[in-house]
Amino acid sequence: MATSTSTARVAIVTGGSRGIGRQVVERLAAEGYAVVVNYRGNQAEADAAVQAARAAGGEAIAVAADVADETAVAALFDTAEQEYGGVDVVVNAAGMMALAPLADLDLDNLDRLLRVNVRGTFAVDQQAARRVRRGGAIINFSSSLTRFARPGYSAYAASKGAVSAITLILARELRGRDVTVNAVAPGPTGTALFLEGKDEQTLARMAAEPPLERIGTPEDIAELVAFLAGPGRWVNGQVLYANGGAI
């Protein structure tokens, strides 16, 4: 693989082929980042994200990796370093959701969810903690559902509560490294996955909850990620709830 001579800041975005991750890829590319778009299985979506990043003004490549597989994650970081010379920003946007009342949830689904959301965040953060350069940032994804306490979301909210805990502790473990660690905790955000299966009445009810009276957009979340990745150097060890004031 050829090594780029680019001096741009370099970002790895897990789950970067769709949803909020895809928007983060485009937003960072517009800031001039070289972006490594991580994806699990859909190469066509990942390739589309790469093309969008390049169109936005950045460099980009797509790299497949299971975020819960520590060997694959190490190889992902290896590729970023070989291609672009190092890693400055890591955005953990990969995740999955399993919804059911606690009493009814299939524990195999719980295991799969925890593997991606908790082990995946841990494995990626482990490599990030070892490799992110000075002046860099690690940005995890928690969820406002840790506060909303909505029935049916116990497994998902528990996994995101774990992400919040990992974030706060890692920020303190990286004392002296000049690397910030924060988590973004979105509320309802209008991705294709979120909108699927919801009728207009449900969406209207959710839009009415925040004082800003709308559902969030992937662009709203990507803007916050870009701030934490770049100018927001004095924000560290925080979970930022991005939900329009719903809580």
Side-chain angles (χ1 to χ4, degrees), residues 6-74:
S6 171
T7 58
R9 279 166 65 85
V10 179
I12 294 174
V13 181
T14 71
S17 65
R18 62 175 67 181
I20 291 173
R22 164 70 178 269
Q23 195 62 46
V24 168
V25 166
E26 294 187 35
R27 183 66 176 78
L28 294 181
E31 294 283 334
Y33 281 76
V35 185
V36 178
V37 180
N38 162 253
Y39 68 102
R40 174 71 186 273
N42 193 321
Q43 185 173 347
E45 287 187 338
D47 289 343
V50 166
Q51 293 304 316
R54 291 173 178 168
E59 299 181 54
I61 57 172
V63 180
D66 175 358
V67 294
D69 179 339
E70 63 271 29
T71 302
V73 171

Side-chain angles (χ1 to χ4, degrees), residues 85-144:
V87 178
D88 300 290
V89 173
V90 174
V91 182
N92 264 311
M96 69 167 289
M97 184 179 286
L99 301 181
L102 186 148
D104 301 330
L105 183 69
D106 185 321
L107 293 185
D108 287 339
N109 288 337
L110 175 65
D111 288 343
R112 283 190 288 272
L113 181 144
L114 294 177
R115 183 178 187 276
V116 174
N117 294 1
V118 181
R119 181 187 170 98
T121 297
F122 203 101
V124 172
D125 278 2
Q126 193 168 64
Q127 290 297 321
R130 296 169 181 171
R131 306 207 205 189
V132 168
R133 295 184 288 205
R134 295 187 67 83
I138 300 169
I139 303 161
N140 294 326
F141 267 81
S142 182
S143 171
S144 289

